[in-house]
Structures are given as structure tokens and as C-alpha cells.
Amino acid sequence: MITYEEHRLRSLADEGRWIELLGAYRQARAAAVALDLSEGGAGGGAAHERAAVATAPLGHLIAYAAPPEVAARLFDRDGGPGTAAGARDHDAGPLWEVLATRHCWRRLAPLLGPPPVRRLVAQTRVLLGEDLARDAEPDPEGVPLLLEPWEAVGRAERSPVREYLRDGGSRSALLTLPASREGLAPVELPAPGAPLPGQPATRALAELAGWARAVCVRGPAPRAAAQLAPGRRVTGGYLPFALVWPALVQAGVADRAHGAAHGRLALWRVLTAMTGVDGPPAAVRAEVEALIARMRCFTWEDPADRLRHLHLALEDPATGLSWAVSGSEDV
């Protein structure tokens, strides 16, 4: 049932009265924060999270349909305490990702203030194919502001960025590994390799896909896969990293408060940790490129798979190490 207030807000949107809608959003968000505090809520971040839920549909509409000069002000603090959307405010997806899918970086760059939101918007524009290498400030972790060739190939195959709808909701392909049986065959896995504890890349891989298990072994990819596969005989095969990339990026989108930019940043942390290099961004990037060029990627099926699943082993022939990540869940 559509309430009077919802009808009024939709009418304002249809009439293009976006400044009034922004004011209504700020007023509602601040009131929700104040109500939580007055009722003895925990305050702080918890109050803002509940306020974000209450105002999410209106925030989504503004981020999607308002002119960028208005939509970017969702994240400004000039409206007073409790009025600004944060990096975790979301409806069908984070409000900053909705905004990023609607306008190019040149229109958004002069308007965005908060560094976390600004960074995530820039990374989303990169995922959508924009080259920001000269137009945006360097990423704090040195993540490139232009898709690498293997990322561009993966994006052309399957994009991990959601497609948002004006009145709420989104469309997104469910990216899994393996995506199908094409190119796979019966494989007899070798004996599992002994786990190597304490590897930074293993921790980074576990953080990327928090719903999956991760392990590192010394030896080829199938020995790592054998640690997590359901048995010695599986249906599996090798894939180029470019075809693996979209599913790994989407694995980092843990919930609706996360966007594809979170997945890309998390995956670059994994790859950087695998190289073991800690240096200038240009040096790290060169090592990651070399790693991708030599990496072997093995995937396999699990009969118990649920809707979302990821089964992948990544082998670095130069170091003799392989990492495997495996898990499934309903979404």
C-alpha cells in the first residue's frame, strides 16, 4: 500500500523538486537518529545504521535520478548532525554505487567530499570502464585507476557492478566458479598438500570471500584444491585468470552495503599479498602483472553447491605456492 508520504515524495521527484527531496531525506535521517537516541538506543554507529535503513528508499531515488549536483550532497555534512549518508548507507545497494553508475567521474569529482565515498565512486567508475589514471587522485593502496587488460577482458565477459532501477531494486548476474561444466572434465586430484599457516595472502583471500574457506599449500593447484574439494575425483579444469576475475570481485561484495569497488580493492590486496612485494605502487603493480601472466587457475564442482559458490585454486609456479578458496551459500 502506497502511503500519502510516499505519494508526495514521488510527486516531488516527478516534478524535479530535488532540493526539497534532499531536505526531506536529511530531516528524516536526523529524526531517525534522534529517535533512536531518545529511546535509549546504543547511539553512535548503531543509531546511524538504523537511520540509514529508514531513509534508504528515498536516498536511492535521489542518488539514482537527481542531478549530480544534488545527489552528491547526500554525503555532505552541511545539513547538520545525523543528516549525511555514510559509506554503508544502502537500499538495493550502497548509495555511492547507485550514484557512480549514473554519472561520469568528471561530473562527480568536483562534487564529492568525503574521502571514503570519493574513493569508492572512483573505483566504481573504473570498473565501468573509465580511465581515471590522469583525472583522479592516486588510490591510497596503489590500486590502478584503469582496468588492467585481464580485468578488462573479465568485465567484457561479465560485469560485477549491479544495474540499478529508479524505484528501487537492482539487476546483477550471479557470478560463480565454476559457472558451468563447459571446459571441465573428470579429474583425479592428487594427495592434499600440507597447509602452510600464517600466509598473508591466505588471510586476504579469506577476507575477500568471508563465506568460504581458504588455504595455502606448497605444490600445484590441484594439491591445494584437494584440501577443500569433496573428494579425490571431481569435475574440474583450468581457466584463464581473466575469466576468474569477475567472480572473485563479486565474492568481495559481502552484502548490500558493499559494492563491486569493495571486491576489486579486496582482490588487489590478495594479489599484492601473493607477490610478497611491499614497495612503491608502480613496483607492486609490475609484480602483480607478472603474477597474473604466470598464474594457473583450477576450478572444480561440488555436488553440494548452493546458489552462490566459489571453488578455485590459484598456483604461482615461480614460488611453488598455491592457494585455494572454496565455499557456497544461498543468497
Side-chain angles (χ1 to χ4, degrees):
M1 180 178 178
I2 298 176
T3 66
Y4 169 78
E5 181 64 13
E6 288 172 328
H7 179 74
R8 183 181 75 86
L9 294 175
R10 289 187 185 183
S11 296
L12 291 176
D14 291 341
E15 295 168 13
R17 295 162 65 178
W18 295 109
I19 294 296
E20 292 177 58
L21 280 170
L22 177 64
Y25 172 86
R26 289 176 164 182
Q27 184 179 20
R29 200 181 189 289
V33 171
L35 178 63
D36 182 88
L37 295 177
S38 68
E39 292 180 348
H48 282 272
E49 285 184 17
R50 282 186 279 272
V53 171
T55 56
L58 179 55
H60 177 100
L61 176 61
I62 295 170
Y64 183 95
E69 293 78 10
V70 176
R73 292 181 62 192
L74 284 168
F75 308 99
D76 288 346
R77 300 183 182 277
D78 58 1
T83 60
R88 290 190 59 82
D89 284 45
H90 66 280
D91 185 32
L95 300 188
W96 52 262
E97 187 174 66
V98 178
L99 177 63
T101 63
R102 302 297 295 160
H103 308 283
C104 69
W105 178 250
R106 288 194 175 184
R107 291 204 69 186
L108 294 173
L111 307 171
L112 292 169
V117 170
R118 188 177 178 86
R119 181 193 189 195
L120 292 167
V121 169
Q123 286 290 338
T124 305
R125 292 307 309 173
V126 171
L127 281 167
L128 291 170
E130 267 199 84
D131 179 356
L132 304 188
R134 296 182 180 179
D135 296 333
E137 53 272 20
D139 185 83
E141 295 180 81
V143 177
L145 292 170
L146 169 66
L147 290 178
E148 294 295 302
W150 40 273
E151 292 179 300
V153 170
R155 175 183 171 273
E157 292 288 331
R158 298 181 293 175
S159 175
V161 182
R162 300 178 181 102
E163 178 187 353
Y164 290 99
L165 308 176
R166 184 182 190 274
D167 295 324
S170 65
R171 289 190 287 256
S172 178
L174 187 61
L175 307 180
T176 60
L177 278 176
S180 71
R181 288 197 169 198
E182 184 178 355
L184 305 184
V187 176
E188 187 75 26
L189 295 175
L196 295 176
Q199 295 293 318
T202 311
R203 291 194 296 271
L205 195 56
E207 290 171 2
L208 170 72
W211 44 275
R213 296 168 57 205
V215 67
C216 176
V217 307
R218 188 171 300 281
R223 293 197 69 191
Q227 274 285 344
L228 304 178
R232 295 287 292 276
R233 190 163 182 81
V234 298
T235 299
Y238 286 91
L239 293 173
F241 189 81
L243 298 185
V244 166
W245 175 84
L248 285 175
V249 171
Q250 195 181 77
V253 184
D255 53 41
R256 288 188 178 183
H258 281 189
H262 287 104
R264 184 179 190 236
L265 293 171
L267 179 54
W268 271 86
R269 293 185 197 111
V270 171
L271 297 172
T272 300
M274 285 180 174
T275 69
V277 174
D278 183 13
V284 172
R285 183 172 174 178
E287 288 295 327
V288 169
E289 290 174 356
L291 171 66
I292 296 302
R294 65 179 181 259
M295 184 180 284
R296 304 189 72 205
C297 307
F298 180 83
T299 187
W300 68 94
E301 285 190 328
D302 186 329
D305 277 340
R306 288 178 282 178
L307 189 59
R308 177 183 187 178
H309 55 270
L310 175 66
H311 308 297
L312 178 67
L314 302 169
E315 175 187 342
D316 181 2
T319 62
L321 298 180
S322 293
W323 291 265
V325 57
S326 179
S328 72
E329 65 171 2
D330 293 322
V331 291

